Amino acid sequence: QQQQQQQQQQQQDDNKNDTDGPSTLDDLLAAAEAGDVTKVQKIVDAGVDANSAKEEDGVTAMMLAAQGDHHAVLTILLNQPTVNVNLVS
């Protein structure tokens, strides 16, 4: 029972860390740059396009993840069915 209570508390804590509202491109870019695997997965699962780029400079989540050597994030992004590895900024 104690273990179940700990799991419930962890789930509540995780829910508090989630952003309110729908995920955005800015959320994806920040998570990719930080190497936050869990957040990147949640954001792409929510439907944010992994190919999306910032209007100002054309930077994508994949570019930020590669720049930061975040291999696990790159794997998530590369496994998206619509990923375009030929995008340039």
Side-chain angles (χ1 to χ4, degrees), residues 3-49:
Q3 184 179 10
Q4 186 178 18
Q5 288 173 339
Q6 288 174 337
Q7 288 174 341
Q8 288 173 344
Q9 183 63 45
Q10 181 64 44
Q11 182 63 42
Q12 289 172 354
D13 291 344
D14 289 347
N15 290 340
K16 286 179 189 174
N17 292 331
D18 288 344
T19 57
D20 292 331
S23 297
T24 65
L25 172 59
D26 288 337
D27 296 330
L28 178 59
L29 294 173
E33 187 171 31
D36 190 331
V37 175
T38 302
K39 194 171 266 188
V40 168
Q41 186 67 62
K42 285 181 182 180
I43 293 168
V44 295
D45 286 348
V48 176
D49 185 359

